[in-house]
Amino acid sequence: MNRIFSGVQPTGNLHLGNYLGAIRNWVQLQPDYACIFCIVDLHALTLPQDPKALAQATREVTAAYIASGIDPEKSIIFNQSMVTGHAELSWLLSCQTPLGWLNRMTQFKEKAGKHRENAGLGLYAYPVLMAADILLYKATHVPVGEDQKQHLELARDIAGAFNRNFGVELFPLPEPQILGHATRVMSLRDGTKKMSKSDSSDYSRINLSDDADSIALKVRKAKTDPEPLPETADGLADRPEARNLIGIYAALTDKTVAECCQDWGGKTFSDFKAALSEIAVAKLAPIHDEMARLMDDQSHLDAILKHGADRAHDIAGQTMHAVKEIMGLVAV
Ligand code: TYM
């Protein structure tokens, strides 16, 4: 059976972009793949974190996975730092990765900003850790949002370089799965910016932890333009906010963008927003409630993480054994 690996960083609030771009697709893929869904806490450390908030967010992401429909018995759920192979393989792969490949990564440039000299080595090396996550389990498929595409191309390059350098066929080249109508959900305040956990305005995103009233308020306040909605998808071309809201609506209703334009063409944003907020609440409120219920029992969540880490560790151990042997690292 093909194997999926994917993950979310436990930083800040999970939002609609994480849900529609990633987690919801995982739930749909779960029956057809052996799945590993990780809470990538080592990745979170590439930027400063408050230790208490990091631990809380790790459990919250665990709760969000389960509340969204990931089955912790069928799929493996665990946090990255519990399986030491991630950090270990990351080092071994970093020795196979030319600097030039990392210099191309746009996310590093965005996150490091103007003060690149002050950015941490971890932030720079982050895509190698991501490649290690995937290759540690020889994952064949990686479902992510569009923003992770470049990192996945790098993971493929690193897998290929390892196989070539050592004359082996150890790692499959992982295939990205960028699925659905909301592969890049944009900010509700600016349709040209990605919806992100780090945006200073909470009105820019719908969080999975938002209650029905907050969701309705954020949708009502979402930026729009003065025109009525277009009748065809082509009419969304220069209208980033309209395109984003229709894309979200399409993803939540499982319709195509063209169908949504047919349904809503010529209508005002205020009518459309009422319908969008209704469907968003209907889809997200059950997840919100279940997350709250799960968060009340921390020991249950911790037991799930432990069980997942034990299962992940068994698979990771086999890969690490093979990698070390191939590289000439003596393990007596
Ligand atoms: P992270 O935590 O930033 O995001 C988690 C997942 O959510 C998707 N996503 C979005 N999709 C659509 N619209 C958006 N606005 C949006 N924002 C985020 C991301 O594409 C991602 O799928 N490096 C990764 C985590 C990671 C990982 C991995 C993923 C670490 N190792 C191995 C896959 C495989 C990250 O920071 O995702």
Side-chain angles (χ1 to χ4, degrees), residues 118-148:
N118 294 336
L121 175 60
L123 191 63
Y124 185 69
Y126 169 121
V128 184
L129 178 59
M130 185 162 155
D133 297 340
I134 298 164
L135 301 181
L136 189 56
Y137 303 98
K138 298 191 190 167
T140 51
H141 292 82
V142 185
V144 283
E146 204 180 278
D147 62 334
Q148 296 301 318

PDB file of all heavy atoms in Angstrom, residues 118-148:
ATOM      1  N   ASN A 118      20.663  37.442  10.592  1.00  0.00           N
ATOM      2  CA  ASN A 118      20.248  37.097  11.958  1.00  0.00           C
ATOM      3  C   ASN A 118      19.335  35.876  12.022  1.00  0.00           C
ATOM      4  O   ASN A 118      18.999  35.405  13.109  1.00  0.00           O
ATOM      5  CB  ASN A 118      19.499  38.275  12.601  1.00  0.00           C
ATOM      6  CG  ASN A 118      20.414  39.458  12.799  1.00  0.00           C
ATOM      7  OD1 ASN A 118      21.625  39.280  12.891  1.00  0.00           O
ATOM      8  ND2 ASN A 118      19.850  40.648  12.831  1.00  0.00           N
ATOM      9  N   ALA A 119      18.891  35.392  10.862  1.00  0.00           N
ATOM     10  CA  ALA A 119      17.978  34.236  10.867  1.00  0.00           C
ATOM     11  C   ALA A 119      18.737  33.011  11.373  1.00  0.00           C
ATOM     12  O   ALA A 119      19.949  32.892  11.166  1.00  0.00           O
ATOM     13  CB  ALA A 119      17.453  33.991   9.453  1.00  0.00           C
ATOM     14  N   GLY A 120      18.009  32.109  12.032  1.00  0.00           N
ATOM     15  CA  GLY A 120      18.653  30.927  12.606  1.00  0.00           C
ATOM     16  C   GLY A 120      19.014  29.904  11.530  1.00  0.00           C
ATOM     17  O   GLY A 120      18.363  29.838  10.475  1.00  0.00           O
ATOM     18  N   LEU A 121      20.008  29.091  11.837  1.00  0.00           N
ATOM     19  CA  LEU A 121      20.398  28.020  10.926  1.00  0.00           C
ATOM     20  C   LEU A 121      19.236  27.043  10.723  1.00  0.00           C
ATOM     21  O   LEU A 121      19.042  26.502   9.644  1.00  0.00           O
ATOM     22  CB  LEU A 121      21.626  27.303  11.515  1.00  0.00           C
ATOM     23  CG  LEU A 121      22.147  26.073  10.782  1.00  0.00           C
ATOM     24  CD1 LEU A 121      22.552  26.415   9.357  1.00  0.00           C
ATOM     25  CD2 LEU A 121      23.339  25.485  11.535  1.00  0.00           C
ATOM     26  N   GLY A 122      18.459  26.844  11.797  1.00  0.00           N
ATOM     27  CA  GLY A 122      17.321  25.913  11.718  1.00  0.00           C
ATOM     28  C   GLY A 122      16.304  26.355  10.677  1.00  0.00           C
ATOM     29  O   GLY A 122      15.758  25.534   9.935  1.00  0.00           O
ATOM     30  N   LEU A 123      16.054  27.664  10.603  1.00  0.00           N
ATOM     31  CA  LEU A 123      15.081  28.178   9.632  1.00  0.00           C
ATOM     32  C   LEU A 123      15.575  27.905   8.210  1.00  0.00           C
ATOM     33  O   LEU A 123      14.803  27.568   7.319  1.00  0.00           O
ATOM     34  CB  LEU A 123      14.882  29.687   9.848  1.00  0.00           C
ATOM     35  CG  LEU A 123      13.720  30.312   9.089  1.00  0.00           C
ATOM     36  CD1 LEU A 123      12.377  29.737   9.531  1.00  0.00           C
ATOM     37  CD2 LEU A 123      13.708  31.835   9.272  1.00  0.00           C
ATOM     38  N   TYR A 124      16.869  28.037   8.029  1.00  0.00           N
ATOM     39  CA  TYR A 124      17.476  27.813   6.721  1.00  0.00           C
ATOM     40  C   TYR A 124      17.435  26.314   6.346  1.00  0.00           C
ATOM     41  O   TYR A 124      17.148  25.936   5.213  1.00  0.00           O
ATOM     42  CB  TYR A 124      18.916  28.323   6.775  1.00  0.00           C
ATOM     43  CG  TYR A 124      19.658  28.285   5.474  1.00  0.00           C
ATOM     44  CD1 TYR A 124      19.318  29.137   4.432  1.00  0.00           C
ATOM     45  CD2 TYR A 124      20.718  27.405   5.301  1.00  0.00           C
ATOM     46  CE1 TYR A 124      20.007  29.104   3.238  1.00  0.00           C
ATOM     47  CE2 TYR A 124      21.416  27.370   4.107  1.00  0.00           C
ATOM     48  CZ  TYR A 124      21.057  28.221   3.075  1.00  0.00           C
ATOM     49  OH  TYR A 124      21.742  28.177   1.894  1.00  0.00           O
ATOM     50  N   ALA A 125      17.720  25.479   7.346  1.00  0.00           N
ATOM     51  CA  ALA A 125      17.813  24.030   7.097  1.00  0.00           C
ATOM     52  C   ALA A 125      16.447  23.334   7.147  1.00  0.00           C
ATOM     53  O   ALA A 125      16.344  22.138   6.851  1.00  0.00           O
ATOM     54  CB  ALA A 125      18.750  23.399   8.131  1.00  0.00           C
ATOM     55  N   TYR A 126      15.416  24.084   7.501  1.00  0.00           N
ATOM     56  CA  TYR A 126      14.049  23.562   7.674  1.00  0.00           C
ATOM     57  C   TYR A 126      13.607  22.608   6.557  1.00  0.00           C
ATOM     58  O   TYR A 126      13.062  21.529   6.827  1.00  0.00           O
ATOM     59  CB  TYR A 126      13.175  24.811   7.791  1.00  0.00           C
ATOM     60  CG  TYR A 126      11.699  24.722   7.734  1.00  0.00           C
ATOM     61  CD1 TYR A 126      10.936  25.189   8.807  1.00  0.00           C
ATOM     62  CD2 TYR A 126      11.019  24.266   6.615  1.00  0.00           C
ATOM     63  CE1 TYR A 126       9.558  25.181   8.751  1.00  0.00           C
ATOM     64  CE2 TYR A 126       9.654  24.254   6.561  1.00  0.00           C
ATOM     65  CZ  TYR A 126       8.926  24.700   7.625  1.00  0.00           C
ATOM     66  OH  TYR A 126       7.566  24.676   7.581  1.00  0.00           O
ATOM     67  N   PRO A 127      13.834  22.938   5.261  1.00  0.00           N
ATOM     68  CA  PRO A 127      13.352  22.020   4.213  1.00  0.00           C
ATOM     69  C   PRO A 127      14.062  20.671   4.230  1.00  0.00           C
ATOM     70  O   PRO A 127      13.514  19.684   3.743  1.00  0.00           O
ATOM     71  CB  PRO A 127      13.645  22.763   2.907  1.00  0.00           C
ATOM     72  CG  PRO A 127      13.897  24.187   3.281  1.00  0.00           C
ATOM     73  CD  PRO A 127      14.434  24.161   4.674  1.00  0.00           C
ATOM     74  N   VAL A 128      15.269  20.607   4.783  1.00  0.00           N
ATOM     75  CA  VAL A 128      15.963  19.308   4.862  1.00  0.00           C
ATOM     76  C   VAL A 128      15.289  18.453   5.936  1.00  0.00           C
ATOM     77  O   VAL A 128      15.106  17.238   5.766  1.00  0.00           O
ATOM     78  CB  VAL A 128      17.470  19.482   5.176  1.00  0.00           C
ATOM     79  CG1 VAL A 128      18.176  18.130   5.151  1.00  0.00           C
ATOM     80  CG2 VAL A 128      18.123  20.437   4.196  1.00  0.00           C
ATOM     81  N   LEU A 129      14.894  19.099   7.038  1.00  0.00           N
ATOM     82  CA  LEU A 129      14.156  18.364   8.079  1.00  0.00           C
ATOM     83  C   LEU A 129      12.830  17.854   7.503  1.00  0.00           C
ATOM     84  O   LEU A 129      12.413  16.725   7.776  1.00  0.00           O
ATOM     85  CB  LEU A 129      13.910  19.283   9.295  1.00  0.00           C
ATOM     86  CG  LEU A 129      13.116  18.691  10.454  1.00  0.00           C
ATOM     87  CD1 LEU A 129      13.791  17.443  11.033  1.00  0.00           C
ATOM     88  CD2 LEU A 129      12.903  19.731  11.566  1.00  0.00           C
ATOM     89  N   MET A 130      12.217  18.667   6.671  1.00  0.00           N
ATOM     90  CA  MET A 130      10.946  18.241   6.053  1.00  0.00           C
ATOM     91  C   MET A 130      11.177  17.044   5.119  1.00  0.00           C
ATOM     92  O   MET A 130      10.374  16.100   5.104  1.00  0.00           O
ATOM     93  CB  MET A 130      10.346  19.435   5.299  1.00  0.00           C
ATOM     94  CG  MET A 130       8.998  19.158   4.720  1.00  0.00           C
ATOM     95  SD  MET A 130       8.134  20.699   4.333  1.00  0.00           S
ATOM     96  CE  MET A 130       7.044  20.082   3.065  1.00  0.00           C
ATOM     97  N   ALA A 131      12.269  17.079   4.374  1.00  0.00           N
ATOM     98  CA  ALA A 131      12.596  15.927   3.513  1.00  0.00           C
ATOM     99  C   ALA A 131      12.831  14.687   4.379  1.00  0.00           C
ATOM    100  O   ALA A 131      12.361  13.590   4.058  1.00  0.00           O
ATOM    101  CB  ALA A 131      13.837  16.236   2.682  1.00  0.00           C
ATOM    102  N   ALA A 132      13.523  14.884   5.517  1.00  0.00           N
ATOM    103  CA  ALA A 132      13.792  13.753   6.410  1.00  0.00           C
ATOM    104  C   ALA A 132      12.477  13.163   6.946  1.00  0.00           C
ATOM    105  O   ALA A 132      12.321  11.938   7.025  1.00  0.00           O
ATOM    106  CB  ALA A 132      14.681  14.201   7.576  1.00  0.00           C
ATOM    107  N   ASP A 133      11.523  14.044   7.282  1.00  0.00           N
ATOM    108  CA  ASP A 133      10.217  13.562   7.782  1.00  0.00           C
ATOM    109  C   ASP A 133       9.609  12.558   6.807  1.00  0.00           C
ATOM    110  O   ASP A 133       9.101  11.507   7.192  1.00  0.00           O
ATOM    111  CB  ASP A 133       9.213  14.720   7.888  1.00  0.00           C
ATOM    112  CG  ASP A 133       9.621  15.788   8.873  1.00  0.00           C
ATOM    113  OD1 ASP A 133      10.449  15.495   9.752  1.00  0.00           O
ATOM    114  OD2 ASP A 133       9.105  16.925   8.744  1.00  0.00           O
ATOM    115  N   ILE A 134       9.649  12.965   5.546  1.00  0.00           N
ATOM    116  CA  ILE A 134       8.966  12.183   4.503  1.00  0.00           C
ATOM    117  C   ILE A 134       9.752  10.901   4.206  1.00  0.00           C
ATOM    118  O   ILE A 134       9.193   9.806   4.135  1.00  0.00           O
ATOM    119  CB  ILE A 134       8.837  13.045   3.229  1.00  0.00           C
ATOM    120  CG1 ILE A 134       7.992  14.296   3.517  1.00  0.00           C
ATOM    121  CG2 ILE A 134       8.276  12.235   2.069  1.00  0.00           C
ATOM    122  CD1 ILE A 134       8.119  15.397   2.464  1.00  0.00           C
ATOM    123  N   LEU A 135      11.076  11.053   4.073  1.00  0.00           N
ATOM    124  CA  LEU A 135      11.890   9.917   3.622  1.00  0.00           C
ATOM    125  C   LEU A 135      12.104   8.880   4.726  1.00  0.00           C
ATOM    126  O   LEU A 135      12.290   7.701   4.451  1.00  0.00           O
ATOM    127  CB  LEU A 135      13.232  10.425   3.068  1.00  0.00           C
ATOM    128  CG  LEU A 135      13.086  11.412   1.887  1.00  0.00           C
ATOM    129  CD1 LEU A 135      14.457  11.856   1.384  1.00  0.00           C
ATOM    130  CD2 LEU A 135      12.273  10.810   0.742  1.00  0.00           C
ATOM    131  N   LEU A 136      12.023   9.353   5.978  1.00  0.00           N
ATOM    132  CA  LEU A 136      12.175   8.427   7.114  1.00  0.00           C
ATOM    133  C   LEU A 136      11.148   7.288   7.026  1.00  0.00           C
ATOM    134  O   LEU A 136      11.391   6.182   7.502  1.00  0.00           O
ATOM    135  CB  LEU A 136      11.982   9.214   8.417  1.00  0.00           C
ATOM    136  CG  LEU A 136      12.288   8.539   9.741  1.00  0.00           C
ATOM    137  CD1 LEU A 136      13.716   8.012   9.793  1.00  0.00           C
ATOM    138  CD2 LEU A 136      12.068   9.531  10.900  1.00  0.00           C
ATOM    139  N   TYR A 137      10.004   7.584   6.429  1.00  0.00           N
ATOM    140  CA  TYR A 137       8.938   6.574   6.316  1.00  0.00           C
ATOM    141  C   TYR A 137       8.790   6.088   4.882  1.00  0.00           C
ATOM    142  O   TYR A 137       7.812   5.418   4.563  1.00  0.00           O
ATOM    143  CB  TYR A 137       7.621   7.160   6.849  1.00  0.00           C
ATOM    144  CG  TYR A 137       7.800   7.626   8.276  1.00  0.00           C
ATOM    145  CD1 TYR A 137       8.048   8.968   8.565  1.00  0.00           C
ATOM    146  CD2 TYR A 137       7.811   6.711   9.325  1.00  0.00           C
ATOM    147  CE1 TYR A 137       8.278   9.392   9.864  1.00  0.00           C
ATOM    148  CE2 TYR A 137       8.039   7.122  10.622  1.00  0.00           C
ATOM    149  CZ  TYR A 137       8.279   8.456  10.890  1.00  0.00           C
ATOM    150  OH  TYR A 137       8.517   8.864  12.170  1.00  0.00           O
ATOM    151  N   LYS A 138       9.732   6.480   4.009  1.00  0.00           N
ATOM    152  CA  LYS A 138       9.648   6.152   2.574  1.00  0.00           C
ATOM    153  C   LYS A 138       8.249   6.457   2.039  1.00  0.00           C
ATOM    154  O   LYS A 138       7.634   5.621   1.338  1.00  0.00           O
ATOM    155  CB  LYS A 138      10.003   4.683   2.343  1.00  0.00           C
ATOM    156  CG  LYS A 138      11.422   4.340   2.756  1.00  0.00           C
ATOM    157  CD  LYS A 138      11.760   2.956   2.241  1.00  0.00           C
ATOM    158  CE  LYS A 138      13.051   2.422   2.798  1.00  0.00           C
ATOM    159  NZ  LYS A 138      13.226   1.005   2.553  1.00  0.00           N
ATOM    160  N   ALA A 139       7.731   7.627   2.415  1.00  0.00           N
ATOM    161  CA  ALA A 139       6.376   7.991   1.979  1.00  0.00           C
ATOM    162  C   ALA A 139       6.366   8.184   0.469  1.00  0.00           C
ATOM    163  O   ALA A 139       7.303   8.738  -0.110  1.00  0.00           O
ATOM    164  CB  ALA A 139       5.917   9.266   2.678  1.00  0.00           C
ATOM    165  N   THR A 140       5.282   7.714  -0.159  1.00  0.00           N
ATOM    166  CA  THR A 140       5.159   7.849  -1.617  1.00  0.00           C
ATOM    167  C   THR A 140       4.337   9.080  -1.985  1.00  0.00           C
ATOM    168  O   THR A 140       4.445   9.583  -3.092  1.00  0.00           O
ATOM    169  CB  THR A 140       4.464   6.606  -2.217  1.00  0.00           C
ATOM    170  OG1 THR A 140       3.242   6.387  -1.479  1.00  0.00           O
ATOM    171  CG2 THR A 140       5.363   5.379  -2.118  1.00  0.00           C
ATOM    172  N   HIS A 141       3.476   9.541  -1.069  1.00  0.00           N
ATOM    173  CA  HIS A 141       2.574  10.658  -1.361  1.00  0.00           C
ATOM    174  C   HIS A 141       2.544  11.634  -0.190  1.00  0.00           C
ATOM    175  O   HIS A 141       2.570  11.206   0.965  1.00  0.00           O
ATOM    176  CB  HIS A 141       1.156  10.141  -1.636  1.00  0.00           C
ATOM    177  CG  HIS A 141       1.077   9.352  -2.909  1.00  0.00           C
ATOM    178  ND1 HIS A 141       1.438   8.034  -2.976  1.00  0.00           N
ATOM    179  CD2 HIS A 141       0.719   9.718  -4.170  1.00  0.00           C
ATOM    180  CE1 HIS A 141       1.300   7.611  -4.229  1.00  0.00           C
ATOM    181  NE2 HIS A 141       0.862   8.614  -4.974  1.00  0.00           N
ATOM    182  N   VAL A 142       2.455  12.924  -0.530  1.00  0.00           N
ATOM    183  CA  VAL A 142       2.467  13.955   0.514  1.00  0.00           C
ATOM    184  C   VAL A 142       1.384  14.999   0.215  1.00  0.00           C
ATOM    185  O   VAL A 142       1.569  15.869  -0.644  1.00  0.00           O
ATOM    186  CB  VAL A 142       3.853  14.642   0.597  1.00  0.00           C
ATOM    187  CG1 VAL A 142       3.888  15.616   1.764  1.00  0.00           C
ATOM    188  CG2 VAL A 142       4.968  13.610   0.749  1.00  0.00           C
ATOM    189  N   PRO A 143       0.230  14.898   0.886  1.00  0.00           N
ATOM    190  CA  PRO A 143      -0.834  15.875   0.640  1.00  0.00           C
ATOM    191  C   PRO A 143      -0.593  17.175   1.421  1.00  0.00           C
ATOM    192  O   PRO A 143      -0.503  17.163   2.652  1.00  0.00           O
ATOM    193  CB  PRO A 143      -2.095  15.154   1.143  1.00  0.00           C
ATOM    194  CG  PRO A 143      -1.615  14.122   2.102  1.00  0.00           C
ATOM    195  CD  PRO A 143      -0.175  13.830   1.818  1.00  0.00           C
ATOM    196  N   VAL A 144      -0.482  18.274   0.690  1.00  0.00           N
ATOM    197  CA  VAL A 144      -0.175  19.583   1.303  1.00  0.00           C
ATOM    198  C   VAL A 144      -0.911  20.687   0.540  1.00  0.00           C
ATOM    199  O   VAL A 144      -1.414  20.457  -0.549  1.00  0.00           O
ATOM    200  CB  VAL A 144       1.340  19.910   1.236  1.00  0.00           C
ATOM    201  CG1 VAL A 144       2.140  19.144   2.264  1.00  0.00           C
ATOM    202  CG2 VAL A 144       1.888  19.676  -0.159  1.00  0.00           C
ATOM    203  N   GLY A 145      -0.897  21.900   1.103  1.00  0.00           N
ATOM    204  CA  GLY A 145      -1.350  23.085   0.383  1.00  0.00           C
ATOM    205  C   GLY A 145      -0.265  23.523  -0.598  1.00  0.00           C
ATOM    206  O   GLY A 145       0.882  23.048  -0.538  1.00  0.00           O
ATOM    207  N   GLU A 146      -0.663  24.465  -1.451  1.00  0.00           N
ATOM    208  CA  GLU A 146       0.234  24.868  -2.541  1.00  0.00           C
ATOM    209  C   GLU A 146       1.550  25.480  -2.045  1.00  0.00           C
ATOM    210  O   GLU A 146       2.587  25.343  -2.683  1.00  0.00           O
ATOM    211  CB  GLU A 146      -0.528  25.891  -3.378  1.00  0.00           C
ATOM    212  CG  GLU A 146      -0.076  26.014  -4.794  1.00  0.00           C
ATOM    213  CD  GLU A 146      -0.925  27.065  -5.484  1.00  0.00           C
ATOM    214  OE1 GLU A 146      -2.035  26.720  -5.901  1.00  0.00           O
ATOM    215  OE2 GLU A 146      -0.478  28.225  -5.559  1.00  0.00           O
ATOM    216  N   ASP A 147       1.508  26.118  -0.865  1.00  0.00           N
ATOM    217  CA  ASP A 147       2.716  26.804  -0.381  1.00  0.00           C
ATOM    218  C   ASP A 147       3.875  25.840  -0.082  1.00  0.00           C
ATOM    219  O   ASP A 147       5.016  26.281   0.052  1.00  0.00           O
ATOM    220  CB  ASP A 147       2.387  27.650   0.867  1.00  0.00           C
ATOM    221  CG  ASP A 147       1.889  26.812   2.024  1.00  0.00           C
ATOM    222  OD1 ASP A 147       1.339  25.715   1.785  1.00  0.00           O
ATOM    223  OD2 ASP A 147       2.031  27.242   3.172  1.00  0.00           O
ATOM    224  N   GLN A 148       3.585  24.546   0.024  1.00  0.00           N
ATOM    225  CA  GLN A 148       4.649  23.584   0.352  1.00  0.00           C
ATOM    226  C   GLN A 148       5.250  22.915  -0.881  1.00  0.00           C
ATOM    227  O   GLN A 148       6.106  22.031  -0.769  1.00  0.00           O
ATOM    228  CB  GLN A 148       4.123  22.505   1.312  1.00  0.00           C
ATOM    229  CG  GLN A 148       3.705  23.045   2.664  1.00  0.00           C
ATOM    230  CD  GLN A 148       4.864  23.740   3.379  1.00  0.00           C
ATOM    231  OE1 GLN A 148       5.988  23.264   3.368  1.00  0.00           O
ATOM    232  NE2 GLN A 148       4.585  24.889   3.987  1.00  0.00           N
TER     233      GLN A 148
END
